[in-house]
Amino acid sequence: MIQDRQLREKLVALNPSNPHILKSSAFLIFVADLKRTEKVAQHYDRAYQTEMSLDPLLTAVTDTALALENAVVATESLGLGCVVVGSLRRQIDQVATLLKLPDHMLPLAGLAIGKPITEMKVKPRLPQKVVVHYDTYQDYDYQAIEQYDQTMEAFAEARETKRWSVKFADYFAAEPNFLVDKFIQMKKIYQPNKKV
């Protein structure tokens, strides 16, 4: 939890489109933590070979994402609102420096928590046939996504400026955030060419 106001101000300076980092009642940052397991390995005088495979990173990221989602569910169950801030990874080096993160730690996202100033509508979800598959992958007609685009347009979120499908097409067509890749190698989280 980021309690220091000056630290929050610095985070907003890095993420100017997210002023709620400063304005929220609470702001949490979720970090994939392989430092803790490194300490355990050192305590038992065991090798620590997490850098050679993506699996430890995926495990840490999964655990962190589950913790983030649980925090969202708990927040909403209390009648509070929250905003997930994934843009922290666009300035991952600066965020890690501000938080004084050692090697083997990867900041994933923030969570701004507060009292909503507007009524929060439940955002429509993709049709079940697009996300749930029984036993094996079941292909579906693209029309299901087009129908969801129409549902989202009818939902008319004020913050949305593009169709749902166009937003994701643009996101994945843009140049990837290679800062995360460099950070992961620099912080000794995963080094694909490392030999035993």
Side-chain angles (χ1 to χ4, degrees):
M1 180 180 303
I2 308 300
Q3 297 175 311
D4 183 284
R5 183 172 177 81
Q6 289 180 336
L7 188 52
R8 283 209 210 182
E9 288 171 353
K10 290 175 184 176
L11 289 167
V12 171
L14 293 172
N15 294 270
S17 63
N18 291 292
H20 44 274
I21 290 172
L22 181 61
K23 295 177 182 178
S24 59
S25 300
F27 186 68
L28 312 174
I29 296 181
F30 290 80
V31 179
D33 184 356
L34 288 166
K35 185 68 173 177
R36 179 175 40 245
T37 50
E38 179 189 41
K39 286 177 178 278
V40 171
Q42 288 171 348
H43 176 79
Y44 288 104
D45 197 26
R46 299 290 204 290
Y48 195 65
Q49 301 181 52
T50 60
E51 300 167 31
M52 294 184 283
S53 168
L54 278 172
D55 192 54
L57 174 59
L58 291 176
T59 300
V61 168
T62 300
D63 289 348
T64 307
L66 289 169
L68 171 60
E69 181 60 22
N70 284 331
V72 168
V73 170
T75 297
E76 291 176 349
S77 75
L78 296 171
L80 298 172
C82 58
V83 177
V84 175
V85 182
S87 63
L88 294 176
R89 292 187 310 276
R90 291 188 196 136
Q91 299 83 18
I92 196 164
D93 287 335
Q94 296 96 319
V95 169
T97 298
L98 285 174
L99 301 178
K100 299 180 181 174
L101 296 180
D103 287 348
H104 302 293
M105 297 188 82
L106 174 66
L108 289 180
L111 184 66
I113 299 172
K115 195 166 191 168
I117 56 174
T118 60
E119 181 185 347
M120 303 301 289
K121 297 178 186 175
V122 176
K123 185 176 181 178
R125 298 296 175 211
L126 281 160
Q128 190 178 42
K129 64 184 169 187
V130 175
V131 294
V132 177
H133 304 273
Y134 295 93
D135 299 322
T136 61
Y137 177 81
Q138 306 295 312
D139 202 4
Y140 52 88
D141 192 282
Y142 189 79
Q143 183 179 3
I145 292 175
E146 289 175 335
Q147 288 171 342
Y148 184 68
D149 273 334
Q150 292 170 2
T151 299
M152 288 301 292
E153 286 171 9
F155 182 68
E157 268 192 87
R159 66 182 182 172
E160 295 296 335
T161 57
K162 296 181 185 180
R163 295 188 94 192
W164 177 87
S165 59
V166 172
K167 180 173 62 173
F168 284 97
D170 289 350
Y171 178 83
F172 289 106
E175 185 171 340
N177 181 1
F178 290 114
L179 294 174
V180 173
D181 299 52
K182 290 175 186 171
F183 181 86
I184 286 171
Q185 289 186 23
M186 178 185 72
K187 288 292 191 173
K188 301 177 183 176
I189 297 169
Y190 173 62
Q191 297 179 354
N193 299 322
K194 186 170 182 174
K195 303 279 192 244
V196 178

